[in-house]
Amino acid sequence: MKRIAFIGLGNMGGPMAANLIKKGFELSVFDLSSEAMERLAQTGAHPAASAREAMAGCDAVVSMLPTGRHVDALYCGSEGVLTALTAGTLVIDCSTIDTATARRVASEAAALGLPMLDAPVSGGTGGATAGTLTFIVGGEREALERARPLFEAMGSNIFHAGGHGAGQMAKICNNMLLGILMAGTAEALALGVKNGLDPGVLSEIMARSSGRNWALELYNPWPAVMPGVPASRGYQGGFMSALMLKDLGLAEEAANLCEANIPMGRQATALYRAHVDDGQGPLDFSSIARRYGAP
């Protein structure tokens, strides 16, 4: 596979597409933002006037979109592109969406002879830029093996979670835990700061003790503790709080369907909902620390 259509060039999709270009893939790209397409054009991508145009003659499609509604509209809506693809074209959706939509779209793709994978990612914008993402894949293993060169160009870990929708379910569980960890990490740091501790020193202590976790070690939520992360640039860029709230909502929906007990997940949802309602939705999800007094 050489000719790839990439749809969705946001904070995650943009650097993912750039890494495919670096590895020698020919990319046609589409995004509602002309600026996003122009940035990719400067690295060798071919901007298209529409998603359908981007997919003309492609060997595979990769999409990275905000919600299940957007994924459904792209592939199955009144202007859906599935019917425009040649049978056998590989379809990979890297968005984080609900499992029901992932399975429905995959079913419609299969009816048209189009193998499809749900392949949400973990690793954040840093991983997207560095090409070290983790891909959590649902779908047929044969399709995964076809997609492996693409995944390896954008990431360093590939997991086959199971059938269609399994990638989404695993990602939902992961992001629920991430939301809980980020809120808990911010809470612990705030408690230390309010009692006179240096947040950098406290972070180092906890990172080498039983409180260590990904948010603390690699994505610290307290300003000026860790260079390069959103907390040290005014919580700009990164993974928006509004998207974390979306993912926590997906976890609640999944829990309601199977009557799972997720009290900490529900508390994290409530915290992020209040945060977003206060107008903080566009900021990185580590900005939850501001609810505890972070500057």
Side-chain angles (χ1 to χ4, degrees):
M1 292 186 296
K2 292 296 291 183
R3 299 185 64 185
I4 312 300
F6 204 109
I7 313 301
L9 306 172
N11 289 338
M12 294 294 292
M16 290 167 66
N19 280 322
L20 287 173
I21 294 170
K22 290 177 185 177
K23 293 302 174 86
F25 292 95
E26 180 183 345
L27 256 66
S28 293
V29 299
F30 178 73
D31 191 277
L32 294 178
S33 167
S34 58
E35 292 181 1
M37 287 198 289
E38 179 57 31
R39 283 195 296 271
L40 265 294
Q42 293 174 7
T43 67
H46 305 289
S50 67
R52 188 175 289 262
E53 179 182 301
M55 295 179 188
C58 69
D59 300 312
V61 177
V62 181
S63 53
M64 175 58 93
L65 301 173
T67 70
R69 173 173 56 87
H70 296 97
V71 172
D72 185 69
L74 172 65
Y75 291 112
C76 305
S78 58
E79 301 295 323
V81 298
L82 287 181
T83 56
L85 295 173
T86 303
T89 303
L90 180 62
V91 182
I92 306 168
D93 181 47
C94 294
S95 318
T96 297
I97 64 173
D98 61 287
T99 56
T101 297
R103 290 171 180 150
R104 183 176 65 256
V105 175
S107 178
E108 294 198 23
L112 295 168
L114 302 167
M116 185 167 186
L117 298 169
D118 51 282
V121 302
S122 180
T125 54
T129 301
T132 58
L133 291 172
T134 293
F135 286 88
I136 308 166
V137 185
E140 299 297 328
R141 187 172 291 279
E142 181 181 355
L144 186 156
E145 292 308 318
R146 283 185 61 194
R148 188 173 293 275
L150 301 180
F151 292 147
E152 290 178 343
M154 299 182 286
S156 56
N157 297 293
I158 306 165
F159 292 101
H160 187 212
H164 295 300
Q168 297 296 349
M169 191 67 252
K171 177 64 188 298
I172 288 168
C173 293
N174 179 80
N175 274 25
M176 181 183 76
L177 179 58
L178 177 59
I180 293 168
L181 288 173
M182 185 58 78
T185 297
E187 190 170 304
L189 287 171
L191 177 62
V193 169
K194 288 186 177 181
N195 281 277
L197 295 181
D198 180 284
V201 173
L202 178 57
S203 292
E204 187 174 359
I205 290 168
M206 293 194 294
R208 287 163 175 74
S209 303
S210 55
R212 66 182 301 185
N213 66 75
W214 183 90
L216 181 69
E217 294 181 82
L218 300 177
Y219 211 88
N220 198 289
W222 210 265
V225 168
M226 184 176 291
V229 299
S232 293
R233 53 176 189 264
Y235 298 107
Q236 298 298 318
F239 183 59
M240 292 192 299
S241 294
L243 292 179
M244 173 53 79
L245 177 60
K246 180 209 75 173
D247 290 356
L248 288 166
L250 292 176
E252 279 203 349
E253 290 175 14
N256 291 339
L257 288 172
C258 66
E259 299 183 353
N261 188 24
I262 55 163
M264 295 183 72
R266 294 186 191 281
Q267 182 60 41
T269 304
L271 285 168
Y272 274 97
R273 181 173 293 114
H275 192 52
V276 170
D277 287 347
D278 283 346
Q280 307 302 302
L283 297 182
D284 181 75
F285 80 110
S286 61
S287 64
I288 195 71
R290 286 185 170 174
R291 301 199 70 76
Y292 299 101

